[in-house]
mmCIF file of all heavy atoms in Angstrom:
data_model
loop_
_atom_site.group_PDB
_atom_site.id
_atom_site.type_symbol
_atom_site.label_atom_id
_atom_site.label_comp_id
_atom_site.label_asym_id
_atom_site.label_seq_id
_atom_site.Cartn_x
_atom_site.Cartn_y
_atom_site.Cartn_z
ATOM 1 N N LEU A 89 -87.831 -7.465 21.494
ATOM 2 C CA LEU A 89 -87.104 -8.454 20.710
ATOM 3 C C LEU A 89 -87.966 -9.022 19.618
ATOM 4 O O LEU A 89 -89.198 -8.993 19.636
ATOM 5 C CB LEU A 89 -86.636 -9.617 21.638
ATOM 6 C CG LEU A 89 -85.702 -9.233 22.826
ATOM 7 C CD1 LEU A 89 -85.319 -10.497 23.551
ATOM 8 C CD2 LEU A 89 -84.495 -8.455 22.314
ATOM 9 N N THR A 90 -87.307 -9.569 18.560
ATOM 10 C CA THR A 90 -87.989 -10.182 17.443
ATOM 11 C C THR A 90 -88.500 -11.579 17.855
ATOM 12 O O THR A 90 -88.122 -12.088 18.911
ATOM 13 C CB THR A 90 -87.061 -10.319 16.246
ATOM 14 O OG1 THR A 90 -86.047 -11.289 16.578
ATOM 15 C CG2 THR A 90 -86.435 -8.987 15.885
ATOM 16 N N PRO A 91 -89.352 -12.204 17.042
ATOM 17 C CA PRO A 91 -89.792 -13.563 17.354
ATOM 18 C C PRO A 91 -88.618 -14.529 17.587
ATOM 19 O O PRO A 91 -88.622 -15.281 18.517
ATOM 20 C CB PRO A 91 -90.620 -13.929 16.116
ATOM 21 C CG PRO A 91 -91.168 -12.652 15.648
ATOM 22 C CD PRO A 91 -90.087 -11.632 15.887
ATOM 23 N N ALA A 92 -87.629 -14.490 16.684
ATOM 24 C CA ALA A 92 -86.493 -15.403 16.800
ATOM 25 C C ALA A 92 -85.721 -15.156 18.119
ATOM 26 O O ALA A 92 -85.300 -16.082 18.815
ATOM 27 C CB ALA A 92 -85.573 -15.276 15.606
ATOM 28 N N GLN A 93 -85.527 -13.869 18.447
ATOM 29 C CA GLN A 93 -84.821 -13.551 19.677
ATOM 30 C C GLN A 93 -85.598 -14.011 20.901
ATOM 31 O O GLN A 93 -85.024 -14.455 21.888
ATOM 32 C CB GLN A 93 -84.548 -12.047 19.721
ATOM 33 C CG GLN A 93 -83.521 -11.587 18.713
ATOM 34 C CD GLN A 93 -83.492 -10.062 18.525
ATOM 35 O OE1 GLN A 93 -84.442 -9.352 18.880
ATOM 36 N NE2 GLN A 93 -82.360 -9.546 18.024
ATOM 37 N N ASN A 94 -86.920 -13.941 20.841
ATOM 38 C CA ASN A 94 -87.752 -14.420 21.947
ATOM 39 C C ASN A 94 -87.668 -15.957 22.015
ATOM 40 O O ASN A 94 -87.619 -16.529 23.096
ATOM 41 C CB ASN A 94 -89.208 -14.014 21.722
ATOM 42 C CG ASN A 94 -89.551 -12.700 22.425
ATOM 43 O OD1 ASN A 94 -89.710 -12.669 23.645
ATOM 44 N ND2 ASN A 94 -89.579 -11.597 21.640
ATOM 45 N N PHE A 95 -87.667 -16.597 20.838
ATOM 46 C CA PHE A 95 -87.556 -18.057 20.803
ATOM 47 C C PHE A 95 -86.314 -18.537 21.618
ATOM 48 O O PHE A 95 -86.431 -19.491 22.369
ATOM 49 C CB PHE A 95 -87.460 -18.561 19.382
ATOM 50 C CG PHE A 95 -88.768 -18.828 18.700
ATOM 51 C CD1 PHE A 95 -89.908 -18.068 18.964
ATOM 52 C CD2 PHE A 95 -88.875 -19.834 17.757
ATOM 53 C CE1 PHE A 95 -91.085 -18.293 18.380
ATOM 54 C CE2 PHE A 95 -90.116 -20.063 17.150
ATOM 55 C CZ PHE A 95 -91.197 -19.295 17.405
ATOM 56 N N TYR A 96 -85.208 -17.910 21.345
ATOM 57 C CA TYR A 96 -83.928 -18.446 21.810
ATOM 58 C C TYR A 96 -83.343 -17.689 22.992
ATOM 59 O O TYR A 96 -82.222 -17.951 23.380
ATOM 60 C CB TYR A 96 -82.932 -18.493 20.644
ATOM 61 C CG TYR A 96 -83.261 -19.582 19.643
ATOM 62 C CD1 TYR A 96 -83.953 -19.263 18.485
ATOM 63 C CD2 TYR A 96 -82.949 -20.905 19.890
ATOM 64 C CE1 TYR A 96 -84.292 -20.229 17.575
ATOM 65 C CE2 TYR A 96 -83.295 -21.868 18.969
ATOM 66 C CZ TYR A 96 -83.981 -21.525 17.832
ATOM 67 O OH TYR A 96 -84.322 -22.513 16.939
ATOM 68 N N CYS A 97 -84.140 -16.823 23.623
ATOM 69 C CA CYS A 97 -83.648 -16.119 24.805
ATOM 70 C C CYS A 97 -83.393 -17.133 25.918
ATOM 71 O O CYS A 97 -84.308 -17.828 26.376
ATOM 72 C CB CYS A 97 -84.704 -15.057 25.244
ATOM 73 S SG CYS A 97 -84.050 -13.947 26.525
ATOM 74 N N GLY A 98 -82.146 -17.224 26.330
ATOM 75 C CA GLY A 98 -81.812 -18.236 27.344
ATOM 76 C C GLY A 98 -81.361 -19.536 26.742
ATOM 77 O O GLY A 98 -80.837 -20.419 27.413
ATOM 78 N N HIS A 99 -81.618 -19.734 25.443
ATOM 79 C CA HIS A 99 -81.223 -20.962 24.719
ATOM 80 C C HIS A 99 -80.434 -20.568 23.472
ATOM 81 O O HIS A 99 -80.499 -21.271 22.430
ATOM 82 C CB HIS A 99 -82.458 -21.750 24.272
ATOM 83 C CG HIS A 99 -83.361 -22.167 25.410
ATOM 84 N ND1 HIS A 99 -83.155 -23.309 26.134
ATOM 85 C CD2 HIS A 99 -84.462 -21.566 25.952
ATOM 86 C CE1 HIS A 99 -84.107 -23.416 27.094
ATOM 87 N NE2 HIS A 99 -84.885 -22.351 26.976
ATOM 88 N N GLU A 100 -79.684 -19.511 23.497
ATOM 89 C CA GLU A 100 -79.024 -18.990 22.299
ATOM 90 C C GLU A 100 -78.109 -20.011 21.628
ATOM 91 O O GLU A 100 -77.416 -20.787 22.332
ATOM 92 C CB GLU A 100 -78.228 -17.708 22.667
ATOM 93 C CG GLU A 100 -79.049 -16.548 23.033
ATOM 94 C CD GLU A 100 -79.474 -16.537 24.518
ATOM 95 O OE1 GLU A 100 -79.108 -17.509 25.222
ATOM 96 O OE2 GLU A 100 -80.166 -15.580 24.941
ATOM 97 N N ILE A 101 -78.170 -20.007 20.302
ATOM 98 C CA ILE A 101 -77.195 -20.797 19.537
ATOM 99 C C ILE A 101 -75.930 -19.956 19.398
ATOM 100 O O ILE A 101 -75.962 -18.868 18.819
ATOM 101 C CB ILE A 101 -77.770 -21.167 18.180
ATOM 102 C CG1 ILE A 101 -79.053 -21.928 18.321
ATOM 103 C CG2 ILE A 101 -76.762 -21.991 17.352
ATOM 104 C CD1 ILE A 101 -79.785 -22.205 17.031
ATOM 105 N N ALA A 102 -74.839 -20.449 19.941
ATOM 106 C CA ALA A 102 -73.603 -19.635 19.948
ATOM 107 C C ALA A 102 -72.398 -20.564 19.784
ATOM 108 O O ALA A 102 -72.444 -21.770 19.962
ATOM 109 C CB ALA A 102 -73.512 -18.859 21.282
ATOM 110 N N PHE A 103 -71.244 -19.926 19.464
ATOM 111 C CA PHE A 103 -69.984 -20.677 19.263
ATOM 112 C C PHE A 103 -68.823 -19.809 19.734
ATOM 113 O O PHE A 103 -69.013 -18.588 19.885
ATOM 114 C CB PHE A 103 -69.849 -21.069 17.778
ATOM 115 C CG PHE A 103 -69.534 -19.889 16.891
ATOM 116 C CD1 PHE A 103 -68.213 -19.650 16.471
ATOM 117 C CD2 PHE A 103 -70.543 -19.022 16.456
ATOM 118 C CE1 PHE A 103 -67.923 -18.566 15.646
ATOM 119 C CE2 PHE A 103 -70.258 -17.925 15.637
ATOM 120 C CZ PHE A 103 -68.925 -17.709 15.239
ATOM 121 N N PRO A 104 -67.683 -20.393 19.966
ATOM 122 C CA PRO A 104 -67.375 -21.844 20.001
ATOM 123 C C PRO A 104 -67.851 -22.441 21.315
ATOM 124 O O PRO A 104 -67.908 -21.770 22.338
ATOM 125 C CB PRO A 104 -65.844 -21.876 19.901
ATOM 126 C CG PRO A 104 -65.401 -20.600 20.483
ATOM 127 C CD PRO A 104 -66.442 -19.588 20.155
ATOM 128 N N ALA A 105 -68.175 -23.728 21.281
ATOM 129 C CA ALA A 105 -68.776 -24.385 22.455
ATOM 130 C C ALA A 105 -67.835 -24.491 23.643
ATOM 131 O O ALA A 105 -68.288 -24.584 24.762
ATOM 132 C CB ALA A 105 -69.194 -25.796 22.058
ATOM 133 N N TRP A 106 -66.528 -24.389 23.437
ATOM 134 C CA TRP A 106 -65.597 -24.555 24.536
ATOM 135 C C TRP A 106 -65.483 -23.285 25.383
ATOM 136 O O TRP A 106 -64.916 -23.318 26.480
ATOM 137 C CB TRP A 106 -64.255 -25.003 24.032
ATOM 138 C CG TRP A 106 -63.642 -24.137 22.946
ATOM 139 C CD1 TRP A 106 -63.792 -24.334 21.609
ATOM 140 C CD2 TRP A 106 -62.852 -22.969 23.083
ATOM 141 N NE1 TRP A 106 -63.129 -23.354 20.882
ATOM 142 C CE2 TRP A 106 -62.527 -22.513 21.774
ATOM 143 C CE3 TRP A 106 -62.384 -22.276 24.194
ATOM 144 C CZ2 TRP A 106 -61.755 -21.373 21.567
ATOM 145 C CZ3 TRP A 106 -61.603 -21.137 23.984
ATOM 146 C CH2 TRP A 106 -61.322 -20.676 22.673
ATOM 147 N N LEU A 107 -65.989 -22.179 24.908
ATOM 148 C CA LEU A 107 -65.919 -20.964 25.706
ATOM 149 C C LEU A 107 -67.092 -20.895 26.676
ATOM 150 O O LEU A 107 -68.169 -21.473 26.396
ATOM 151 C CB LEU A 107 -65.977 -19.749 24.769
ATOM 152 C CG LEU A 107 -64.681 -19.300 24.062
ATOM 153 C CD1 LEU A 107 -64.958 -18.158 23.129
ATOM 154 C CD2 LEU A 107 -63.595 -18.926 25.068
ATOM 155 N N PRO A 108 -66.954 -20.145 27.785
ATOM 156 C CA PRO A 108 -68.144 -19.910 28.633
ATOM 157 C C PRO A 108 -69.236 -19.216 27.839
ATOM 158 O O PRO A 108 -68.933 -18.434 26.911
ATOM 159 C CB PRO A 108 -67.598 -18.981 29.721
ATOM 160 C CG PRO A 108 -66.107 -19.251 29.727
ATOM 161 C CD PRO A 108 -65.729 -19.570 28.299
ATOM 162 N N ARG A 109 -70.499 -19.416 28.188
ATOM 163 C CA ARG A 109 -71.599 -18.920 27.392
ATOM 164 C C ARG A 109 -71.550 -17.423 27.194
ATOM 165 O O ARG A 109 -71.845 -16.903 26.123
ATOM 166 C CB ARG A 109 -72.983 -19.274 28.029
ATOM 167 C CG ARG A 109 -73.350 -20.748 27.920
ATOM 168 C CD ARG A 109 -74.792 -20.940 28.352
ATOM 169 N NE ARG A 109 -75.727 -20.245 27.477
ATOM 170 C CZ ARG A 109 -76.192 -20.752 26.329
ATOM 171 N NH1 ARG A 109 -75.776 -21.905 25.889
ATOM 172 N NH2 ARG A 109 -77.044 -20.025 25.608
ATOM 173 N N GLY A 110 -71.158 -16.688 28.203
ATOM 174 C CA GLY A 110 -71.077 -15.238 28.072
ATOM 175 C C GLY A 110 -70.029 -14.737 27.123
ATOM 176 O O GLY A 110 -70.090 -13.544 26.734
ATOM 177 N N LEU A 111 -69.096 -15.576 26.721
ATOM 178 C CA LEU A 111 -68.040 -15.144 25.769
ATOM 179 C C LEU A 111 -68.237 -15.671 24.336
ATOM 180 O O LEU A 111 -67.445 -15.392 23.466
ATOM 181 C CB LEU A 111 -66.663 -15.597 26.305
ATOM 182 C CG LEU A 111 -66.283 -15.033 27.670
ATOM 183 C CD1 LEU A 111 -64.949 -15.612 28.112
ATOM 184 C CD2 LEU A 111 -66.229 -13.502 27.623
ATOM 185 N N ARG A 112 -69.258 -16.454 24.125
ATOM 186 C CA ARG A 112 -69.481 -17.043 22.788
ATOM 187 C C ARG A 112 -70.131 -16.001 21.863
ATOM 188 O O ARG A 112 -70.770 -15.032 22.310
ATOM 189 C CB ARG A 112 -70.408 -18.256 22.882
ATOM 190 C CG ARG A 112 -69.829 -19.414 23.726
ATOM 191 C CD ARG A 112 -70.830 -20.537 23.784
ATOM 192 N NE ARG A 112 -70.447 -21.469 24.862
ATOM 193 C CZ ARG A 112 -71.194 -22.480 25.282
ATOM 194 N NH1 ARG A 112 -72.393 -22.698 24.693
ATOM 195 N NH2 ARG A 112 -70.776 -23.286 26.241
ATOM 196 N N LEU A 113 -69.986 -16.220 20.569
ATOM 197 C CA LEU A 113 -70.603 -15.391 19.544
ATOM 198 C C LEU A 113 -71.931 -16.007 19.100
ATOM 199 O O LEU A 113 -72.028 -17.197 18.907
ATOM 200 C CB LEU A 113 -69.663 -15.276 18.322
ATOM 201 C CG LEU A 113 -68.325 -14.637 18.550
ATOM 202 C CD1 LEU A 113 -67.497 -14.686 17.294
ATOM 203 C CD2 LEU A 113 -68.477 -13.199 19.048
ATOM 204 N N LEU A 114 -72.947 -15.140 19.034
ATOM 205 C CA LEU A 114 -74.285 -15.594 18.679
ATOM 206 C C LEU A 114 -74.396 -15.911 17.179
ATOM 207 O O LEU A 114 -73.845 -15.208 16.369
ATOM 208 C CB LEU A 114 -75.341 -14.522 19.040
ATOM 209 C CG LEU A 114 -75.523 -14.198 20.499
ATOM 210 C CD1 LEU A 114 -76.574 -13.144 20.676
ATOM 211 C CD2 LEU A 114 -75.918 -15.434 21.308
ATOM 212 N N LYS A 115 -75.088 -16.988 16.907
ATOM 213 C CA LYS A 115 -75.376 -17.355 15.493
ATOM 214 C C LYS A 115 -76.761 -16.832 15.157
ATOM 215 O O LYS A 115 -77.783 -17.561 15.113
ATOM 216 C CB LYS A 115 -75.334 -18.883 15.287
ATOM 217 C CG LYS A 115 -73.921 -19.452 15.467
ATOM 218 C CD LYS A 115 -73.921 -20.943 15.121
ATOM 219 C CE LYS A 115 -72.538 -21.508 15.137
ATOM 220 N NZ LYS A 115 -72.470 -22.968 14.767
ATOM 221 N N SER A 116 -76.845 -15.515 14.962
ATOM 222 C CA SER A 116 -78.138 -14.864 14.755
ATOM 223 C C SER A 116 -78.881 -15.386 13.546
ATOM 224 O O SER A 116 -80.079 -15.602 13.573
ATOM 225 C CB SER A 116 -77.931 -13.346 14.656
ATOM 226 O OG SER A 116 -77.386 -12.826 15.841
ATOM 227 N N ARG A 117 -78.156 -15.569 12.431
ATOM 228 C CA ARG A 117 -78.816 -16.058 11.227
ATOM 229 C C ARG A 117 -79.350 -17.467 11.392
ATOM 230 O O ARG A 117 -80.424 -17.798 10.908
ATOM 231 C CB ARG A 117 -77.858 -16.024 10.028
ATOM 232 C CG ARG A 117 -77.468 -14.586 9.605
ATOM 233 C CD ARG A 117 -76.525 -14.597 8.417
ATOM 234 N NE ARG A 117 -76.191 -13.266 8.000
ATOM 235 C CZ ARG A 117 -75.394 -12.964 6.987
ATOM 236 N NH1 ARG A 117 -74.799 -13.938 6.311
ATOM 237 N NH2 ARG A 117 -75.118 -11.703 6.684
ATOM 238 N N ALA A 118 -78.607 -18.291 12.103
ATOM 239 C CA ALA A 118 -79.070 -19.667 12.358
ATOM 240 C C ALA A 118 -80.339 -19.648 13.166
ATOM 241 O O ALA A 118 -81.288 -20.410 12.915
ATOM 242 C CB ALA A 118 -78.003 -20.494 13.040
ATOM 243 N N MET A 119 -80.398 -18.795 14.203
ATOM 244 C CA MET A 119 -81.596 -18.703 15.034
ATOM 245 C C MET A 119 -82.758 -18.150 14.220
ATOM 246 O O MET A 119 -83.887 -18.626 14.390
ATOM 247 C CB MET A 119 -81.307 -17.823 16.249
ATOM 248 C CG MET A 119 -80.357 -18.483 17.255
ATOM 249 S SD MET A 119 -80.177 -17.556 18.819
ATOM 250 C CE MET A 119 -79.130 -16.216 18.301
ATOM 251 N N ASP A 120 -82.526 -17.157 13.339
ATOM 252 C CA ASP A 120 -83.586 -16.609 12.481
ATOM 253 C C ASP A 120 -84.136 -17.707 11.585
ATOM 254 O O ASP A 120 -85.360 -17.853 11.395
ATOM 255 C CB ASP A 120 -83.039 -15.492 11.655
ATOM 256 C CG ASP A 120 -82.805 -14.223 12.464
ATOM 257 O OD1 ASP A 120 -83.308 -14.149 13.585
ATOM 258 O OD2 ASP A 120 -82.103 -13.339 11.935
ATOM 259 N N ARG A 121 -83.238 -18.513 10.976
ATOM 260 C CA ARG A 121 -83.659 -19.596 10.072
ATOM 261 C C ARG A 121 -84.488 -20.652 10.819
ATOM 262 O O ARG A 121 -85.549 -21.084 10.306
ATOM 263 C CB ARG A 121 -82.455 -20.262 9.404
ATOM 264 C CG ARG A 121 -81.808 -19.429 8.310
ATOM 265 C CD ARG A 121 -80.882 -20.292 7.480
ATOM 266 N NE ARG A 121 -79.834 -20.922 8.265
ATOM 267 C CZ ARG A 121 -78.627 -20.365 8.532
ATOM 268 N NH1 ARG A 121 -78.364 -19.182 8.041
ATOM 269 N NH2 ARG A 121 -77.748 -20.987 9.239
ATOM 270 N N GLU A 122 -84.022 -21.046 11.967
ATOM 271 C CA GLU A 122 -84.728 -22.103 12.679
ATOM 272 C C GLU A 122 -86.076 -21.608 13.192
ATOM 273 O O GLU A 122 -87.055 -22.372 13.168
ATOM 274 C CB GLU A 122 -83.829 -22.611 13.852
ATOM 275 C CG GLU A 122 -82.593 -23.348 13.329
ATOM 276 C CD GLU A 122 -81.963 -24.204 14.430
ATOM 277 O OE1 GLU A 122 -82.663 -24.506 15.423
ATOM 278 O OE2 GLU A 122 -80.822 -24.559 14.264
ATOM 279 N N ALA A 123 -86.150 -20.393 13.675
ATOM 280 C CA ALA A 123 -87.421 -19.805 14.127
ATOM 281 C C ALA A 123 -88.395 -19.717 12.966
ATOM 282 O O ALA A 123 -89.585 -20.062 13.066
ATOM 283 C CB ALA A 123 -87.212 -18.450 14.733
ATOM 284 N N ALA A 124 -87.907 -19.284 11.790
ATOM 285 C CA ALA A 124 -88.786 -19.184 10.615
ATOM 286 C C ALA A 124 -89.298 -20.555 10.197
ATOM 287 O O ALA A 124 -90.432 -20.718 9.790
ATOM 288 C CB ALA A 124 -87.995 -18.533 9.465
ATOM 289 N N ALA A 125 -88.411 -21.598 10.322
ATOM 290 C CA ALA A 125 -88.846 -22.959 9.966
ATOM 291 C C ALA A 125 -89.925 -23.458 10.887
ATOM 292 O O ALA A 125 -90.883 -24.145 10.468
ATOM 293 C CB ALA A 125 -87.634 -23.867 9.965
ATOM 294 N N VAL A 126 -89.803 -23.166 12.188
ATOM 295 C CA VAL A 126 -90.840 -23.574 13.150
ATOM 296 C C VAL A 126 -92.151 -22.873 12.834
ATOM 297 O O VAL A 126 -93.204 -23.533 12.816
ATOM 298 C CB VAL A 126 -90.386 -23.275 14.589
ATOM 299 C CG1 VAL A 126 -91.547 -23.498 15.552
ATOM 300 C CG2 VAL A 126 -89.215 -24.132 14.987
ATOM 301 N N LEU A 127 -92.109 -21.574 12.600
ATOM 302 C CA LEU A 127 -93.313 -20.833 12.302
ATOM 303 C C LEU A 127 -93.979 -21.344 11.017
ATOM 304 O O LEU A 127 -95.214 -21.431 10.916
ATOM 305 C CB LEU A 127 -93.043 -19.358 12.202
ATOM 306 C CG LEU A 127 -92.601 -18.672 13.524
ATOM 307 C CD1 LEU A 127 -92.053 -17.295 13.265
ATOM 308 C CD2 LEU A 127 -93.732 -18.626 14.514
ATOM 309 N N GLU A 128 -93.151 -21.676 10.051
ATOM 310 C CA GLU A 128 -93.718 -22.187 8.788
ATOM 311 C C GLU A 128 -94.354 -23.543 8.996
ATOM 312 O O GLU A 128 -95.422 -23.812 8.447
ATOM 313 C CB GLU A 128 -92.570 -22.285 7.735
ATOM 314 C CG GLU A 128 -93.002 -22.879 6.395
ATOM 315 C CD GLU A 128 -93.976 -22.009 5.678
ATOM 316 O OE1 GLU A 128 -93.989 -20.778 5.894
ATOM 317 O OE2 GLU A 128 -94.786 -22.554 4.869
ATOM 318 N N ARG A 129 -93.705 -24.432 9.770
ATOM 319 C CA ARG A 129 -94.226 -25.750 10.038
ATOM 320 C C ARG A 129 -95.558 -25.695 10.721
ATOM 321 O O ARG A 129 -96.467 -26.479 10.424
ATOM 322 C CB ARG A 129 -93.199 -26.545 10.893
ATOM 323 C CG ARG A 129 -93.574 -28.041 11.054
ATOM 324 C CD ARG A 129 -92.657 -28.705 12.022
ATOM 325 N NE ARG A 129 -93.104 -28.528 13.394
ATOM 326 C CZ ARG A 129 -92.350 -28.136 14.401
ATOM 327 N NH1 ARG A 129 -91.068 -27.767 14.180
ATOM 328 N NH2 ARG A 129 -92.863 -28.053 15.628
ATOM 329 N N LEU A 130 -95.682 -24.750 11.658
ATOM 330 C CA LEU A 130 -96.930 -24.583 12.397
ATOM 331 C C LEU A 130 -97.917 -23.645 11.713
ATOM 332 O O LEU A 130 -98.972 -23.367 12.271
ATOM 333 C CB LEU A 130 -96.610 -24.028 13.811
ATOM 334 C CG LEU A 130 -95.781 -24.970 14.702
ATOM 335 C CD1 LEU A 130 -95.406 -24.278 15.991
ATOM 336 C CD2 LEU A 130 -96.499 -26.260 14.973
ATOM 337 N N LYS A 131 -97.539 -23.175 10.513
ATOM 338 C CA LYS A 131 -98.420 -22.313 9.702
ATOM 339 C C LYS A 131 -98.788 -21.015 10.454
ATOM 340 O O LYS A 131 -99.955 -20.553 10.400
ATOM 341 C CB LYS A 131 -99.693 -23.078 9.284
ATOM 342 C CG LYS A 131 -99.440 -24.245 8.355
ATOM 343 C CD LYS A 131 -100.724 -24.938 7.932
ATOM 344 C CE LYS A 131 -100.458 -25.990 6.880
ATOM 345 N NZ LYS A 131 -99.581 -27.071 7.349
ATOM 346 N N VAL A 132 -97.811 -20.463 11.148
ATOM 347 C CA VAL A 132 -97.982 -19.192 11.825
ATOM 348 C C VAL A 132 -97.527 -18.085 10.848
ATOM 349 O O VAL A 132 -96.336 -18.059 10.466
ATOM 350 C CB VAL A 132 -97.177 -19.122 13.136
ATOM 351 C CG1 VAL A 132 -97.296 -17.731 13.757
ATOM 352 C CG2 VAL A 132 -97.676 -20.173 14.124
ATOM 353 N N ARG A 133 -98.413 -17.205 10.480
ATOM 354 C CA ARG A 133 -98.066 -16.150 9.524
ATOM 355 C C ARG A 133 -97.871 -14.823 10.295
ATOM 356 O O ARG A 133 -98.753 -14.368 11.008
ATOM 357 C CB ARG A 133 -99.208 -15.983 8.522
ATOM 358 C CG ARG A 133 -99.553 -17.264 7.731
ATOM 359 C CD ARG A 133 -98.457 -17.581 6.702
ATOM 360 N NE ARG A 133 -98.857 -18.734 5.886
ATOM 361 C CZ ARG A 133 -98.300 -19.951 6.060
ATOM 362 N NH1 ARG A 133 -97.329 -20.089 6.926
ATOM 363 N NH2 ARG A 133 -98.677 -20.955 5.301
#
């Protein structure tokens, strides 16, 4: 898995919230953006 996928494994950002977790759609781009922001904040290259 990529860094972002490792970050959110088990904590996936998905929608719609009213569906069971296994039926939700993953917000892959949102997870990529948030993971990149964390790495940038911590100066991880």
